[in-house]
mmCIF file of all heavy atoms in Angstrom:
data_model
loop_
_atom_site.group_PDB
_atom_site.id
_atom_site.type_symbol
_atom_site.label_atom_id
_atom_site.label_comp_id
_atom_site.label_asym_id
_atom_site.label_seq_id
_atom_site.Cartn_x
_atom_site.Cartn_y
_atom_site.Cartn_z
ATOM 1 N N PHE A 1 10.045 -3.878 1.178
ATOM 2 C CA PHE A 1 9.881 -2.578 0.542
ATOM 3 C C PHE A 1 9.565 -1.542 1.624
ATOM 4 O O PHE A 1 9.063 -1.885 2.705
ATOM 5 C CB PHE A 1 8.735 -2.602 -0.478
ATOM 6 C CG PHE A 1 8.982 -3.502 -1.659
ATOM 7 C CD1 PHE A 1 8.746 -4.877 -1.567
ATOM 8 C CD2 PHE A 1 9.427 -2.985 -2.863
ATOM 9 C CE1 PHE A 1 8.959 -5.714 -2.652
ATOM 10 C CE2 PHE A 1 9.655 -3.813 -3.953
ATOM 11 C CZ PHE A 1 9.419 -5.180 -3.846
ATOM 12 N N LEU A 2 9.860 -0.264 1.307
ATOM 13 C CA LEU A 2 9.520 0.820 2.222
ATOM 14 C C LEU A 2 8.870 1.937 1.409
ATOM 15 O O LEU A 2 9.419 2.378 0.399
ATOM 16 C CB LEU A 2 10.767 1.366 2.931
ATOM 17 C CG LEU A 2 10.493 2.386 4.041
ATOM 18 C CD1 LEU A 2 9.882 1.686 5.252
ATOM 19 C CD2 LEU A 2 11.775 3.112 4.445
ATOM 20 N N VAL A 3 7.691 2.350 1.867
ATOM 21 C CA VAL A 3 6.983 3.463 1.242
ATOM 22 C C VAL A 3 7.185 4.703 2.108
ATOM 23 O O VAL A 3 7.015 4.651 3.332
ATOM 24 C CB VAL A 3 5.478 3.156 1.103
ATOM 25 C CG1 VAL A 3 4.720 4.380 0.600
ATOM 26 C CG2 VAL A 3 5.263 1.977 0.165
ATOM 27 N N VAL A 4 7.559 5.833 1.498
ATOM 28 C CA VAL A 4 7.746 7.107 2.197
ATOM 29 C C VAL A 4 6.731 8.093 1.642
ATOM 30 O O VAL A 4 6.698 8.345 0.431
ATOM 31 C CB VAL A 4 9.173 7.649 2.003
ATOM 32 C CG1 VAL A 4 9.347 8.979 2.734
ATOM 33 C CG2 VAL A 4 10.203 6.633 2.475
ATOM 34 N N SER A 5 5.898 8.652 2.528
ATOM 35 C CA SER A 5 4.835 9.563 2.102
ATOM 36 C C SER A 5 4.892 10.834 2.941
ATOM 37 O O SER A 5 4.646 10.814 4.150
ATOM 38 C CB SER A 5 3.470 8.880 2.256
ATOM 39 O OG SER A 5 2.444 9.679 1.708
ATOM 40 N N ARG A 6 5.238 11.954 2.310
ATOM 41 C CA ARG A 6 5.342 13.235 3.007
ATOM 42 C C ARG A 6 3.961 13.797 3.324
ATOM 43 O O ARG A 6 3.015 13.637 2.555
ATOM 44 C CB ARG A 6 6.095 14.262 2.155
ATOM 45 C CG ARG A 6 7.563 13.923 1.891
ATOM 46 C CD ARG A 6 8.168 14.993 0.988
ATOM 47 N NE ARG A 6 9.595 14.814 0.740
ATOM 48 C CZ ARG A 6 10.085 14.037 -0.195
ATOM 49 N NH1 ARG A 6 9.270 13.339 -0.980
ATOM 50 N NH2 ARG A 6 11.404 13.921 -0.358
ATOM 51 N N GLY A 7 3.869 14.512 4.456
ATOM 52 C CA GLY A 7 2.648 15.234 4.809
ATOM 53 C C GLY A 7 1.488 14.328 5.159
ATOM 54 O O GLY A 7 0.328 14.735 5.033
ATOM 55 N N VAL A 8 1.773 13.120 5.604
ATOM 56 C CA VAL A 8 0.710 12.151 5.921
ATOM 57 C C VAL A 8 0.842 11.736 7.376
ATOM 58 O O VAL A 8 1.931 11.357 7.829
ATOM 59 C CB VAL A 8 0.799 10.920 5.010
ATOM 60 C CG1 VAL A 8 -0.190 9.837 5.467
ATOM 61 C CG2 VAL A 8 0.529 11.316 3.563
ATOM 62 N N ASP A 9 -0.251 11.811 8.142
ATOM 63 C CA ASP A 9 -0.286 11.279 9.509
ATOM 64 C C ASP A 9 -1.728 10.982 9.872
ATOM 65 O O ASP A 9 -2.647 11.193 9.072
ATOM 66 C CB ASP A 9 0.346 12.271 10.506
ATOM 67 C CG ASP A 9 -0.460 13.558 10.648
ATOM 68 O OD1 ASP A 9 -1.392 13.779 9.835
ATOM 69 O OD2 ASP A 9 -0.157 14.340 11.567
ATOM 70 N N GLY A 10 -1.931 10.478 11.072
ATOM 71 C CA GLY A 10 -3.287 10.222 11.575
ATOM 72 C C GLY A 10 -4.113 9.365 10.642
ATOM 73 O O GLY A 10 -3.671 8.325 10.144
ATOM 74 N N PRO A 11 -5.346 9.824 10.366
ATOM 75 C CA PRO A 11 -6.250 9.045 9.498
ATOM 76 C C PRO A 11 -5.670 8.798 8.111
ATOM 77 O O PRO A 11 -5.922 7.754 7.508
ATOM 78 C CB PRO A 11 -7.501 9.925 9.429
ATOM 79 C CG PRO A 11 -7.447 10.775 10.666
ATOM 80 C CD PRO A 11 -5.997 11.026 10.910
ATOM 81 N N ASP A 12 -4.900 9.755 7.605
ATOM 82 C CA ASP A 12 -4.321 9.566 6.267
ATOM 83 C C ASP A 12 -3.309 8.425 6.259
ATOM 84 O O ASP A 12 -3.198 7.678 5.281
ATOM 85 C CB ASP A 12 -3.635 10.856 5.809
ATOM 86 C CG ASP A 12 -4.640 11.961 5.509
ATOM 87 O OD1 ASP A 12 -5.795 11.639 5.210
ATOM 88 O OD2 ASP A 12 -4.251 13.141 5.576
ATOM 89 N N ALA A 13 -2.570 8.276 7.356
ATOM 90 C CA ALA A 13 -1.633 7.164 7.454
ATOM 91 C C ALA A 13 -2.391 5.847 7.483
ATOM 92 O O ALA A 13 -1.987 4.852 6.872
ATOM 93 C CB ALA A 13 -0.769 7.313 8.706
ATOM 94 N N THR A 14 -3.513 5.834 8.197
ATOM 95 C CA THR A 14 -4.344 4.633 8.247
ATOM 96 C C THR A 14 -4.878 4.279 6.868
ATOM 97 O O THR A 14 -4.857 3.110 6.440
ATOM 98 C CB THR A 14 -5.526 4.859 9.216
ATOM 99 O OG1 THR A 14 -5.013 5.165 10.505
ATOM 100 C CG2 THR A 14 -6.401 3.628 9.292
ATOM 101 N N ALA A 15 -5.335 5.311 6.145
ATOM 102 C CA ALA A 15 -5.878 5.082 4.800
ATOM 103 C C ALA A 15 -4.793 4.581 3.852
ATOM 104 O O ALA A 15 -5.042 3.731 2.990
ATOM 105 C CB ALA A 15 -6.495 6.375 4.271
ATOM 106 N N LEU A 16 -3.574 5.128 4.002
ATOM 107 C CA LEU A 16 -2.466 4.689 3.152
ATOM 108 C C LEU A 16 -2.196 3.201 3.362
ATOM 109 O O LEU A 16 -2.031 2.434 2.401
ATOM 110 C CB LEU A 16 -1.216 5.510 3.476
ATOM 111 C CG LEU A 16 0.079 5.104 2.761
ATOM 112 C CD1 LEU A 16 -0.078 5.261 1.255
ATOM 113 C CD2 LEU A 16 1.270 5.926 3.262
ATOM 114 N N GLY A 17 -2.127 2.764 4.628
ATOM 115 C CA GLY A 17 -1.899 1.348 4.887
ATOM 116 C C GLY A 17 -2.997 0.480 4.306
ATOM 117 O O GLY A 17 -2.735 -0.604 3.762
ATOM 118 N N ALA A 18 -4.252 0.951 4.390
ATOM 119 C CA ALA A 18 -5.380 0.171 3.866
ATOM 120 C C ALA A 18 -5.289 0.043 2.343
ATOM 121 O O ALA A 18 -5.585 -1.022 1.779
ATOM 122 C CB ALA A 18 -6.692 0.837 4.278
ATOM 123 N N ARG A 19 -4.913 1.127 1.649
ATOM 124 C CA ARG A 19 -4.811 1.070 0.188
ATOM 125 C C ARG A 19 -3.731 0.090 -0.245
ATOM 126 O O ARG A 19 -3.901 -0.693 -1.184
ATOM 127 C CB ARG A 19 -4.487 2.463 -0.387
ATOM 128 C CG ARG A 19 -5.618 3.455 -0.300
ATOM 129 C CD ARG A 19 -5.424 4.610 -1.294
ATOM 130 N NE ARG A 19 -4.102 5.242 -1.185
ATOM 131 C CZ ARG A 19 -3.817 6.229 -0.355
ATOM 132 N NH1 ARG A 19 -4.750 6.670 0.497
ATOM 133 N NH2 ARG A 19 -2.614 6.767 -0.343
ATOM 134 N N ILE A 20 -2.608 0.107 0.468
ATOM 135 C CA ILE A 20 -1.526 -0.811 0.114
ATOM 136 C C ILE A 20 -1.957 -2.251 0.369
ATOM 137 O O ILE A 20 -1.683 -3.153 -0.452
ATOM 138 C CB ILE A 20 -0.251 -0.448 0.912
ATOM 139 C CG1 ILE A 20 0.287 0.917 0.459
ATOM 140 C CG2 ILE A 20 0.815 -1.521 0.744
ATOM 141 C CD1 ILE A 20 1.460 1.411 1.270
ATOM 142 N N ARG A 21 -2.638 -2.492 1.499
ATOM 143 C CA ARG A 21 -3.100 -3.845 1.799
ATOM 144 C C ARG A 21 -4.027 -4.351 0.699
ATOM 145 O O ARG A 21 -3.917 -5.496 0.241
ATOM 146 C CB ARG A 21 -3.843 -3.851 3.140
ATOM 147 C CG ARG A 21 -4.469 -5.210 3.475
ATOM 148 C CD ARG A 21 -5.203 -5.135 4.805
ATOM 149 N NE ARG A 21 -5.828 -6.401 5.128
ATOM 150 C CZ ARG A 21 -7.045 -6.776 4.728
ATOM 151 N NH1 ARG A 21 -7.753 -5.962 3.958
ATOM 152 N NH2 ARG A 21 -7.531 -7.962 5.068
ATOM 153 N N ALA A 22 -4.967 -3.479 0.262
ATOM 154 C CA ALA A 22 -5.910 -3.880 -0.788
ATOM 155 C C ALA A 22 -5.186 -4.204 -2.085
ATOM 156 O O ALA A 22 -5.507 -5.186 -2.782
ATOM 157 C CB ALA A 22 -6.938 -2.776 -1.010
ATOM 158 N N ALA A 23 -4.181 -3.394 -2.441
ATOM 159 C CA ALA A 23 -3.457 -3.608 -3.699
ATOM 160 C C ALA A 23 -2.684 -4.908 -3.683
ATOM 161 O O ALA A 23 -2.499 -5.556 -4.732
ATOM 162 C CB ALA A 23 -2.518 -2.432 -3.955
ATOM 163 N N LEU A 24 -2.213 -5.316 -2.474
ATOM 164 C CA LEU A 24 -1.389 -6.515 -2.389
ATOM 165 C C LEU A 24 -2.178 -7.737 -1.950
ATOM 166 O O LEU A 24 -1.588 -8.755 -1.584
ATOM 167 C CB LEU A 24 -0.229 -6.265 -1.415
ATOM 168 C CG LEU A 24 0.735 -5.131 -1.803
ATOM 169 C CD1 LEU A 24 1.857 -5.019 -0.786
ATOM 170 C CD2 LEU A 24 1.295 -5.329 -3.204
ATOM 171 N N SER A 25 -3.481 -7.663 -2.014
ATOM 172 C CA SER A 25 -4.319 -8.805 -1.613
ATOM 173 C C SER A 25 -4.871 -9.555 -2.812
ATOM 174 O O SER A 25 -5.575 -10.556 -2.642
ATOM 175 C CB SER A 25 -5.487 -8.323 -0.738
ATOM 176 O OG SER A 25 -5.011 -7.737 0.453
ATOM 177 N N VAL A 26 -4.588 -9.089 -4.006
ATOM 178 C CA VAL A 26 -5.099 -9.728 -5.225
ATOM 179 C C VAL A 26 -4.014 -10.639 -5.780
ATOM 180 O O VAL A 26 -2.839 -10.240 -5.845
ATOM 181 C CB VAL A 26 -5.492 -8.664 -6.261
ATOM 182 C CG1 VAL A 26 -5.994 -9.315 -7.539
ATOM 183 C CG2 VAL A 26 -6.533 -7.720 -5.681
ATOM 184 N N PRO A 27 -4.314 -11.836 -6.177
ATOM 185 C CA PRO A 27 -3.304 -12.747 -6.740
ATOM 186 C C PRO A 27 -2.554 -12.103 -7.903
ATOM 187 O O PRO A 27 -3.112 -11.308 -8.665
ATOM 188 C CB PRO A 27 -4.134 -13.946 -7.193
ATOM 189 C CG PRO A 27 -5.338 -13.921 -6.315
ATOM 190 C CD PRO A 27 -5.655 -12.474 -6.093
ATOM 191 N N ALA A 28 -1.299 -12.451 -8.042
ATOM 192 C CA ALA A 28 -0.460 -11.902 -9.098
ATOM 193 C C ALA A 28 -0.402 -12.851 -10.279
ATOM 194 O O ALA A 28 -0.237 -14.067 -10.106
ATOM 195 C CB ALA A 28 0.947 -11.653 -8.562
ATOM 196 N N GLU A 29 -0.553 -12.282 -11.464
ATOM 197 C CA GLU A 29 -0.459 -13.075 -12.688
ATOM 198 C C GLU A 29 0.965 -12.994 -13.218
ATOM 199 O O GLU A 29 1.422 -11.951 -13.666
ATOM 200 C CB GLU A 29 -1.445 -12.555 -13.726
ATOM 201 C CG GLU A 29 -2.903 -12.753 -13.371
ATOM 202 C CD GLU A 29 -3.306 -14.219 -13.393
ATOM 203 O OE1 GLU A 29 -2.604 -15.028 -14.064
ATOM 204 O OE2 GLU A 29 -4.310 -14.550 -12.752
ATOM 205 N N ILE A 30 1.698 -14.088 -13.143
ATOM 206 C CA ILE A 30 3.056 -14.144 -13.666
ATOM 207 C C ILE A 30 3.124 -15.220 -14.734
ATOM 208 O O ILE A 30 2.124 -15.917 -14.998
ATOM 209 C CB ILE A 30 4.075 -14.405 -12.534
ATOM 210 C CG1 ILE A 30 3.797 -15.764 -11.875
ATOM 211 C CG2 ILE A 30 4.033 -13.287 -11.497
ATOM 212 C CD1 ILE A 30 4.839 -16.129 -10.814
ATOM 213 N N SER A 31 4.269 -15.395 -15.362
ATOM 214 C CA SER A 31 4.371 -16.347 -16.477
ATOM 215 C C SER A 31 4.092 -17.773 -16.044
ATOM 216 O O SER A 31 3.655 -18.607 -16.861
ATOM 217 C CB SER A 31 5.765 -16.253 -17.102
ATOM 218 O OG SER A 31 6.765 -16.496 -16.129
ATOM 219 N N ALA A 32 4.312 -18.076 -14.764
ATOM 220 C CA ALA A 32 4.051 -19.431 -14.269
ATOM 221 C C ALA A 32 2.598 -19.625 -13.885
ATOM 222 O O ALA A 32 2.196 -20.726 -13.495
ATOM 223 C CB ALA A 32 4.937 -19.728 -13.056
#
């Protein structure tokens, strides 16, 4: 996947990566 975020650099880019990492660190509940 690729995320595109306008007007973001420096610390905001760092924060964006951290938020995505946190969101994708929780186990996923699927039908299996």
Side-chain angles (χ1 to χ4, degrees):
F1 295 82
L2 187 72
V3 173
V4 180
S5 187
R6 295 178 176 85
V8 172
D9 66 349
D12 290 336
T14 301
L16 175 62
R19 289 200 308 273
I20 293 175
R21 175 181 179 273
L24 299 182
S25 298
V26 179
E29 293 291 338
I30 62 176
S31 57

